[in-house]
Structure formats: structure tokens, C-alpha cells
Amino acid sequence: MIQQLNNVPVENIRKDPEVKRLLKRMPKSVRQSFDEQQLIHIRKAIGDRSEGEHSLDWRAVFTLPLCGWHFYFVFLLGKNRRELTDKEKQISILLGVLLISVVTLLGLLFIAVAMYLLKSAAGIDLFPDFSLGLWHWFKVNRM
């Protein structure tokens, strides 16, 4: 039986895309010094990056006009498939609580504005001689 590594028979390890990409960056003398067993272990060490598809993968390069420096940025978004460290778990929980808090506050603000507009549309004046001006702005700009 032929042993396989990520659906590539080990005797064809040099044809594996990740191994080819790695070897391509090396000088020819170094590239030829690896035997198949070493390449198999290198391939196992670098892992399978083909599963790393992201639902959002946005990459761009920009240049600063006066100095000619080139910068790049990458924004990736997708399901995390790796184990988190304790610090990453703490940050994840903190960001989750922060996100839920912000969404809740925005929801409450939306409800308060909607109730204020409904109250104003019904002609109810809770505080005489006081207005936020929201109803007037809404009538002028939206109706």
C-alpha cells in the first residue's frame, strides 16, 4: 500500500503544491539536498493550508505618494478552526460582551427614538415648553 499525505502519494511529495511553493523559494543546491522523507516531515510541519478558505478575504496594496513606500493590508474573516490560547479566549469573551452591549444599546436607542416620534406624532407633550427638536427635524426632512 502506498502511503499518502493529504491525498498525494509520498513518492510524489515534490509535486505537492505546498512543497513546490516552499522549494521554489530556495537555491537549487539546497532544494536538491532534501530527500523524500525530509520533505514529508517538512510538509507535515507546515500543515495543510488549502483548508484555510475564508468567507471574506480582502487584500490590497497602497503607495504613499511622496515617498513611494508600498504597504499592504489583509482583512480575513472566517470560522476559526484552531484551538485558542487562554488569553485569546479571554479577549474573545470580552469582545463578545462588548458587541452584545453595543447592539443592545443601539437597539434601546432606536426604540427610544421611535417611541419619542410616536409620542410627538400623537401630540402628547410630557414636559411643557421642552422639546428635543427631533419631531420638527423629522417632519421637515422626512415627510
Side-chain angles (χ1 to χ4, degrees):
M1 180 176 156
I2 300 174
Q3 184 184 8
Q4 291 195 352
L5 176 68
N6 297 328
N7 298 324
V8 177
V10 291
E11 70 256 4
N12 296 333
I13 192 66
R14 290 182 186 272
K15 294 179 183 175
D16 181 83
E18 293 291 331
V19 173
K20 283 171 71 172
R21 202 173 2 258
L22 179 71
L23 292 176
K24 186 177 172 184
R25 291 183 265 167
M26 296 180 186
K28 189 174 183 179
S29 60
V30 175
R31 191 180 322 149
Q32 293 173 338
S33 69
F34 291 107
D35 63 20
E36 274 62 28
Q37 192 67 24
Q38 290 171 320
L39 290 175
I40 289 168
H41 286 287
I42 288 173
R43 180 64 177 93
K44 286 180 182 178
I46 61 175
D48 187 12
R49 295 174 180 244
S50 63
E51 292 178 11
E53 294 183 20
H54 301 91
S55 49
L56 178 62
D57 187 343
W58 184 32
R59 302 165 191 255
V61 176
F62 61 94
T63 303
L64 291 179
L66 298 176
C67 64
W69 290 353
H70 301 284
F71 293 93
Y72 71 92
F73 69 89
V74 178
F75 183 77
L76 301 173
L77 183 70
K79 183 177 180 184
N80 188 20
R81 294 182 178 96
R82 61 183 181 84
E83 189 67 30
L84 296 178
T85 64
D86 289 338
K87 184 156 184 111
E88 289 172 329
K89 287 177 186 175
Q90 290 173 345
I91 292 170
S92 175
I93 291 169
L94 180 66
L95 288 176
V97 168
L98 183 65
L99 179 67
I100 290 170
S101 300
V102 168
V103 168
T104 302
L105 286 174
L106 288 175
L108 291 172
L109 180 64
F110 176 79
I111 291 169
V113 168
M115 289 177 63
Y116 179 82
L117 290 174
L118 288 172
K119 171 205 76 79
S120 298
I124 301 170
D125 192 12
L126 297 176
F127 302 106
D129 301 326
F130 177 78
S131 173
L132 294 176
L134 188 58
W135 176 244
H136 176 71
W137 175 86
F138 186 76
K139 283 192 324 186
V140 170
N141 294 314
R142 300 293 175 213
M143 293 183 129

PDB file of all heavy atoms in Angstrom, residues 44-62:
ATOM      1  N   LYS A  44       4.429  17.911   6.715  1.00  0.00           N
ATOM      2  CA  LYS A  44       3.607  17.733   7.915  1.00  0.00           C
ATOM      3  C   LYS A  44       3.755  18.918   8.867  1.00  0.00           C
ATOM      4  O   LYS A  44       2.789  19.329   9.502  1.00  0.00           O
ATOM      5  CB  LYS A  44       3.999  16.433   8.642  1.00  0.00           C
ATOM      6  CG  LYS A  44       3.511  15.187   7.938  1.00  0.00           C
ATOM      7  CD  LYS A  44       3.937  13.946   8.719  1.00  0.00           C
ATOM      8  CE  LYS A  44       3.500  12.681   8.017  1.00  0.00           C
ATOM      9  NZ  LYS A  44       3.953  11.476   8.731  1.00  0.00           N
ATOM     10  N   ALA A  45       4.965  19.471   8.946  1.00  0.00           N
ATOM     11  CA  ALA A  45       5.217  20.588   9.857  1.00  0.00           C
ATOM     12  C   ALA A  45       4.515  21.865   9.399  1.00  0.00           C
ATOM     13  O   ALA A  45       3.998  22.615  10.225  1.00  0.00           O
ATOM     14  CB  ALA A  45       6.717  20.844   9.985  1.00  0.00           C
ATOM     15  N   ILE A  46       4.492  22.117   8.108  1.00  0.00           N
ATOM     16  CA  ILE A  46       3.836  23.342   7.644  1.00  0.00           C
ATOM     17  C   ILE A  46       2.333  23.194   7.601  1.00  0.00           C
ATOM     18  O   ILE A  46       1.605  24.173   7.572  1.00  0.00           O
ATOM     19  CB  ILE A  46       4.370  23.818   6.266  1.00  0.00           C
ATOM     20  CG1 ILE A  46       4.125  22.783   5.171  1.00  0.00           C
ATOM     21  CG2 ILE A  46       5.812  24.210   6.356  1.00  0.00           C
ATOM     22  CD1 ILE A  46       4.524  23.253   3.789  1.00  0.00           C
ATOM     23  N   GLY A  47       1.828  21.965   7.625  1.00  0.00           N
ATOM     24  CA  GLY A  47       0.394  21.736   7.699  1.00  0.00           C
ATOM     25  C   GLY A  47      -0.291  21.923   6.361  1.00  0.00           C
ATOM     26  O   GLY A  47       0.327  22.228   5.348  1.00  0.00           O
ATOM     27  N   ASP A  48      -1.588  21.743   6.387  1.00  0.00           N
ATOM     28  CA  ASP A  48      -2.399  21.850   5.177  1.00  0.00           C
ATOM     29  C   ASP A  48      -3.049  23.219   5.152  1.00  0.00           C
ATOM     30  O   ASP A  48      -3.987  23.479   5.878  1.00  0.00           O
ATOM     31  CB  ASP A  48      -3.452  20.740   5.142  1.00  0.00           C
ATOM     32  CG  ASP A  48      -4.202  20.713   3.832  1.00  0.00           C
ATOM     33  OD1 ASP A  48      -3.751  21.387   2.880  1.00  0.00           O
ATOM     34  OD2 ASP A  48      -5.224  20.021   3.762  1.00  0.00           O
ATOM     35  N   ARG A  49      -2.540  24.078   4.318  1.00  0.00           N
ATOM     36  CA  ARG A  49      -3.076  25.438   4.238  1.00  0.00           C
ATOM     37  C   ARG A  49      -4.193  25.546   3.216  1.00  0.00           C
ATOM     38  O   ARG A  49      -4.806  26.579   3.098  1.00  0.00           O
ATOM     39  CB  ARG A  49      -1.962  26.423   3.896  1.00  0.00           C
ATOM     40  CG  ARG A  49      -0.945  26.475   4.998  1.00  0.00           C
ATOM     41  CD  ARG A  49       0.222  27.336   4.610  1.00  0.00           C
ATOM     42  NE  ARG A  49       1.158  27.347   5.701  1.00  0.00           N
ATOM     43  CZ  ARG A  49       1.460  28.430   6.372  1.00  0.00           C
ATOM     44  NH1 ARG A  49       0.932  29.565   6.056  1.00  0.00           N
ATOM     45  NH2 ARG A  49       2.313  28.380   7.363  1.00  0.00           N
ATOM     46  N   SER A  50      -4.475  24.501   2.499  1.00  0.00           N
ATOM     47  CA  SER A  50      -5.537  24.574   1.495  1.00  0.00           C
ATOM     48  C   SER A  50      -6.914  24.665   2.138  1.00  0.00           C
ATOM     49  O   SER A  50      -7.853  25.104   1.518  1.00  0.00           O
ATOM     50  CB  SER A  50      -5.471  23.356   0.574  1.00  0.00           C
ATOM     51  OG  SER A  50      -5.703  22.176   1.308  1.00  0.00           O
ATOM     52  N   GLU A  51      -7.063  24.266   3.408  1.00  0.00           N
ATOM     53  CA  GLU A  51      -8.338  24.361   4.108  1.00  0.00           C
ATOM     54  C   GLU A  51      -8.604  25.765   4.607  1.00  0.00           C
ATOM     55  O   GLU A  51      -9.655  26.047   5.137  1.00  0.00           O
ATOM     56  CB  GLU A  51      -8.358  23.401   5.308  1.00  0.00           C
ATOM     57  CG  GLU A  51      -8.357  21.950   4.929  1.00  0.00           C
ATOM     58  CD  GLU A  51      -8.335  21.072   6.159  1.00  0.00           C
ATOM     59  OE1 GLU A  51      -8.529  21.591   7.276  1.00  0.00           O
ATOM     60  OE2 GLU A  51      -8.117  19.875   6.006  1.00  0.00           O
ATOM     61  N   GLY A  52      -7.642  26.658   4.452  1.00  0.00           N
ATOM     62  CA  GLY A  52      -7.753  27.988   5.021  1.00  0.00           C
ATOM     63  C   GLY A  52      -8.596  28.950   4.213  1.00  0.00           C
ATOM     64  O   GLY A  52      -8.263  30.114   4.134  1.00  0.00           O
ATOM     65  N   GLU A  53      -9.661  28.495   3.612  1.00  0.00           N
ATOM     66  CA  GLU A  53     -10.520  29.399   2.874  1.00  0.00           C
ATOM     67  C   GLU A  53     -11.304  30.259   3.851  1.00  0.00           C
ATOM     68  O   GLU A  53     -11.794  29.788   4.859  1.00  0.00           O
ATOM     69  CB  GLU A  53     -11.462  28.617   1.972  1.00  0.00           C
ATOM     70  CG  GLU A  53     -10.743  27.877   0.868  1.00  0.00           C
ATOM     71  CD  GLU A  53     -11.699  27.164  -0.067  1.00  0.00           C
ATOM     72  OE1 GLU A  53     -12.885  27.537  -0.098  1.00  0.00           O
ATOM     73  OE2 GLU A  53     -11.246  26.251  -0.746  1.00  0.00           O
ATOM     74  N   HIS A  54     -11.401  31.526   3.531  1.00  0.00           N
ATOM     75  CA  HIS A  54     -12.103  32.468   4.393  1.00  0.00           C
ATOM     76  C   HIS A  54     -13.347  32.979   3.687  1.00  0.00           C
ATOM     77  O   HIS A  54     -13.364  33.131   2.465  1.00  0.00           O
ATOM     78  CB  HIS A  54     -11.183  33.648   4.734  1.00  0.00           C
ATOM     79  CG  HIS A  54      -9.935  33.219   5.433  1.00  0.00           C
ATOM     80  ND1 HIS A  54      -8.769  32.915   4.759  1.00  0.00           N
ATOM     81  CD2 HIS A  54      -9.669  33.025   6.737  1.00  0.00           C
ATOM     82  CE1 HIS A  54      -7.844  32.555   5.633  1.00  0.00           C
ATOM     83  NE2 HIS A  54      -8.364  32.614   6.836  1.00  0.00           N
ATOM     84  N   SER A  55     -14.372  33.273   4.469  1.00  0.00           N
ATOM     85  CA  SER A  55     -15.585  33.799   3.863  1.00  0.00           C
ATOM     86  C   SER A  55     -15.362  35.224   3.360  1.00  0.00           C
ATOM     87  O   SER A  55     -16.029  35.665   2.440  1.00  0.00           O
ATOM     88  CB  SER A  55     -16.749  33.748   4.847  1.00  0.00           C
ATOM     89  OG  SER A  55     -16.374  34.296   6.085  1.00  0.00           O
ATOM     90  N   LEU A  56     -14.418  35.935   3.935  1.00  0.00           N
ATOM     91  CA  LEU A  56     -14.035  37.251   3.454  1.00  0.00           C
ATOM     92  C   LEU A  56     -12.522  37.318   3.423  1.00  0.00           C
ATOM     93  O   LEU A  56     -11.862  37.115   4.446  1.00  0.00           O
ATOM     94  CB  LEU A  56     -14.604  38.344   4.370  1.00  0.00           C
ATOM     95  CG  LEU A  56     -14.243  39.777   4.018  1.00  0.00           C
ATOM     96  CD1 LEU A  56     -14.788  40.150   2.645  1.00  0.00           C
ATOM     97  CD2 LEU A  56     -14.776  40.717   5.067  1.00  0.00           C
ATOM     98  N   ASP A  57     -11.957  37.566   2.268  1.00  0.00           N
ATOM     99  CA  ASP A  57     -10.512  37.649   2.086  1.00  0.00           C
ATOM    100  C   ASP A  57     -10.240  38.897   1.261  1.00  0.00           C
ATOM    101  O   ASP A  57     -10.348  38.895   0.044  1.00  0.00           O
ATOM    102  CB  ASP A  57      -9.999  36.396   1.370  1.00  0.00           C
ATOM    103  CG  ASP A  57      -8.476  36.350   1.302  1.00  0.00           C
ATOM    104  OD1 ASP A  57      -7.832  37.395   1.510  1.00  0.00           O
ATOM    105  OD2 ASP A  57      -7.946  35.261   1.040  1.00  0.00           O
ATOM    106  N   TRP A  58      -9.917  40.002   1.935  1.00  0.00           N
ATOM    107  CA  TRP A  58      -9.729  41.277   1.267  1.00  0.00           C
ATOM    108  C   TRP A  58      -8.280  41.705   1.438  1.00  0.00           C
ATOM    109  O   TRP A  58      -7.811  41.924   2.546  1.00  0.00           O
ATOM    110  CB  TRP A  58     -10.688  42.298   1.862  1.00  0.00           C
ATOM    111  CG  TRP A  58     -10.669  43.639   1.208  1.00  0.00           C
ATOM    112  CD1 TRP A  58     -10.423  43.930  -0.102  1.00  0.00           C
ATOM    113  CD2 TRP A  58     -10.906  44.890   1.843  1.00  0.00           C
ATOM    114  NE1 TRP A  58     -10.514  45.263  -0.314  1.00  0.00           N
ATOM    115  CE2 TRP A  58     -10.809  45.890   0.863  1.00  0.00           C
ATOM    116  CE3 TRP A  58     -11.212  45.252   3.147  1.00  0.00           C
ATOM    117  CZ2 TRP A  58     -10.989  47.225   1.136  1.00  0.00           C
ATOM    118  CZ3 TRP A  58     -11.397  46.585   3.427  1.00  0.00           C
ATOM    119  CH2 TRP A  58     -11.287  47.556   2.427  1.00  0.00           C
ATOM    120  N   ARG A  59      -7.574  41.819   0.319  1.00  0.00           N
ATOM    121  CA  ARG A  59      -6.162  42.197   0.331  1.00  0.00           C
ATOM    122  C   ARG A  59      -5.974  43.377  -0.601  1.00  0.00           C
ATOM    123  O   ARG A  59      -6.564  43.417  -1.668  1.00  0.00           O
ATOM    124  CB  ARG A  59      -5.288  41.039  -0.137  1.00  0.00           C
ATOM    125  CG  ARG A  59      -5.452  39.794   0.709  1.00  0.00           C
ATOM    126  CD  ARG A  59      -4.869  38.563   0.020  1.00  0.00           C
ATOM    127  NE  ARG A  59      -5.263  37.367   0.716  1.00  0.00           N
ATOM    128  CZ  ARG A  59      -4.455  36.652   1.494  1.00  0.00           C
ATOM    129  NH1 ARG A  59      -3.213  37.015   1.650  1.00  0.00           N
ATOM    130  NH2 ARG A  59      -4.904  35.582   2.106  1.00  0.00           N
ATOM    131  N   ALA A  60      -5.159  44.312  -0.188  1.00  0.00           N
ATOM    132  CA  ALA A  60      -4.908  45.474  -1.035  1.00  0.00           C
ATOM    133  C   ALA A  60      -3.514  46.018  -0.764  1.00  0.00           C
ATOM    134  O   ALA A  60      -2.929  45.785   0.300  1.00  0.00           O
ATOM    135  CB  ALA A  60      -5.953  46.548  -0.782  1.00  0.00           C
ATOM    136  N   VAL A  61      -2.992  46.725  -1.744  1.00  0.00           N
ATOM    137  CA  VAL A  61      -1.689  47.380  -1.637  1.00  0.00           C
ATOM    138  C   VAL A  61      -1.910  48.857  -1.923  1.00  0.00           C
ATOM    139  O   VAL A  61      -2.667  49.223  -2.814  1.00  0.00           O
ATOM    140  CB  VAL A  61      -0.697  46.786  -2.663  1.00  0.00           C
ATOM    141  CG1 VAL A  61       0.630  47.533  -2.615  1.00  0.00           C
ATOM    142  CG2 VAL A  61      -0.492  45.309  -2.423  1.00  0.00           C
ATOM    143  N   PHE A  62      -1.259  49.703  -1.142  1.00  0.00           N
ATOM    144  CA  PHE A  62      -1.341  51.128  -1.408  1.00  0.00           C
ATOM    145  C   PHE A  62       0.039  51.736  -1.275  1.00  0.00           C
ATOM    146  O   PHE A  62       0.924  51.200  -0.614  1.00  0.00           O
ATOM    147  CB  PHE A  62      -2.358  51.830  -0.497  1.00  0.00           C
ATOM    148  CG  PHE A  62      -2.047  51.747   0.968  1.00  0.00           C
ATOM    149  CD1 PHE A  62      -1.343  52.754   1.592  1.00  0.00           C
ATOM    150  CD2 PHE A  62      -2.473  50.654   1.720  1.00  0.00           C
ATOM    151  CE1 PHE A  62      -1.063  52.683   2.948  1.00  0.00           C
ATOM    152  CE2 PHE A  62      -2.197  50.580   3.069  1.00  0.00           C
ATOM    153  CZ  PHE A  62      -1.491  51.600   3.679  1.00  0.00           C
TER     154      PHE A  62
END
